[in-house]
Each structure stands twice: as C-alpha cells, then as structure tokens.
Amino acid sequence: MSTDKKIKIAIGADHAGFEYKELLKSYLADFEVKDFGTHSSQSVDYPDFAHPVASAVESGEYAFGVLVCGSANGVAITANKHQQVRAAICWLNELAALSRQHNNANVLCIPARFVSEDLAKEMTTTFINTPFEGGRHEGRVGKISC
Ligand SMILES: O=C(CO)[C@H](O)[C@H](O)COP(=O)(O)O
C-alpha cells in the first residue's frame, strides 16, 4: 500500500475487534498510529474506546480514526455523537471508497464478525487513500451537523 508518514491515525476496538485492531496496527506500521485500546480479548464496553478515538479525530490531531467491534454499529453510533466526526460502517471496499468520496468520512468502522481480515485491510487502505470529491457533496456534508 502507499504510505505517508505524516498521516496520523487513531485506532481502537472492543474485545470483538481486538484481533483485527492488532492486525491493522501492524498493517499500518508506516503511518503514525496511536492505539487507544482495548489491549486484550477480555470483554469491555465499546464506548470506552470509541469516544477517545472520536475525540482524537475531532480535535484535528488525527486525520482518520479506525474503530472495530463485532457489528461496527456500537462504535459508529458512539463516534457519531462527536460533532466533527463522520463515522461510516463499511463491509464492502466500494462502501469504504464512497464514504470518503461522498461523505468525507473521517472514521472507518469495521464489523469484525462480518468481514474477512483481508477485506478489513483492503477497506482501510481504500479509506486512507481516497479523497473527498467535494462539489455537490460539499453542501450536503455541511448540512450534517445540527
Ligand atoms: O458489535 C458490538 C457493538 O455494536 C460489540 O462488539 C458486541 O455487542 C459485543 O458482543 P458480546 O459482548 O456478545 O461479545
């Protein structure tokens, strides 16, 4: 994959996403990645990890967040509570691309129990490397915050 050491990525997961998070952390070794936990497969509560990742992206310190839980619903619902966060649940590579092109998503949410490791890696690469298209999508994205 293409790499850019200047891109900072915040990553987090609950117990269901722990193994995928570890895998993605290694996969993203050429980026500046901060791991917000969890750090084992012991059962935990996904908001305890989704909020810190979302805050890190919302602050502007991290360009992107990657969150992993079983279905991706919990981490996405949590992350989207943050005003500056647009968290997208993706289970196809095309959805990862569209989440960037049309929605300017800044947090990728991966359902570890429903996608393969290879697809998780592929979607992460796509998410990081796909630019927002702007244009007609600019105003729509601008209307999301309330
Ligand atoms: O997907 C999730 C939240 O959306 C969690 O990973 C899932 O709910 C965890 O379930 P369990 O406690 O049964 O392992």
Side-chain angles (χ1 to χ4, degrees), residues 109-128:
C109 299
I110 298 174
R113 289 176 176 165
F114 296 91
V115 301
S116 69
E117 292 180 352
D118 282 349
L119 180 54
K121 288 193 280 191
E122 185 183 17
M123 293 193 298
T124 302
T125 297
T126 296
F127 191 83
I128 292 167

Side-chain angles (χ1 to χ4, degrees), residues 13-62:
D14 73 352
H15 55 287
F18 166 69
E19 285 185 11
Y20 275 43
K21 174 177 68 65
E22 294 302 298
L23 178 88
L24 291 172
K25 226 168 52 177
S26 309
Y27 184 63
L28 295 170
D30 290 329
F31 294 89
E32 190 173 332
V33 178
K34 179 160 179 188
D35 182 357
F36 286 83
T38 187
H39 300 292
S40 79
S41 294
Q42 187 176 344
S43 183
V44 290
D45 302 331
Y46 55 81
D48 294 339
F49 308 94
H51 278 307
V53 167
S55 293
V57 173
E58 189 170 41
S59 73
E61 191 178 349
Y62 290 83

Side-chain angles (χ1 to χ4, degrees), residues 79-140:
N80 278 320
K81 294 292 182 191
H82 294 248
Q83 278 292 310
Q84 301 306 317
V85 166
R86 291 171 300 282
I89 301 174
C90 298
W91 61 94
L92 297 169
N93 194 47
E94 292 82 355
L95 292 176
L98 280 169
S99 76
R100 292 287 307 130
Q101 291 165 340
H102 286 204
N103 312 114
N104 200 14
N106 51 14
V107 175
L108 170 65
C109 299
I110 298 174
R113 289 176 176 165
F114 296 91
V115 301
S116 69
E117 292 180 352
D118 282 349
L119 180 54
K121 288 193 280 191
E122 185 183 17
M123 293 193 298
T124 302
T125 297
T126 296
F127 191 83
I128 292 167
N129 289 318
T130 303
F132 177 47
E133 281 182 6
R136 70 186 186 282
H137 305 295
E138 195 90 47
R140 295 166 185 168

Side-chain angles (χ1 to χ4, degrees), residues 4-9 30-33 63-64 128-129:
D4 183 345
K5 286 187 193 299
K6 292 180 183 159
I7 296 179
K8 294 176 75 173
I9 299 167
D30 290 329
F31 294 89
E32 190 173 332
V33 178
F64 296 117
I128 292 167
N129 289 318

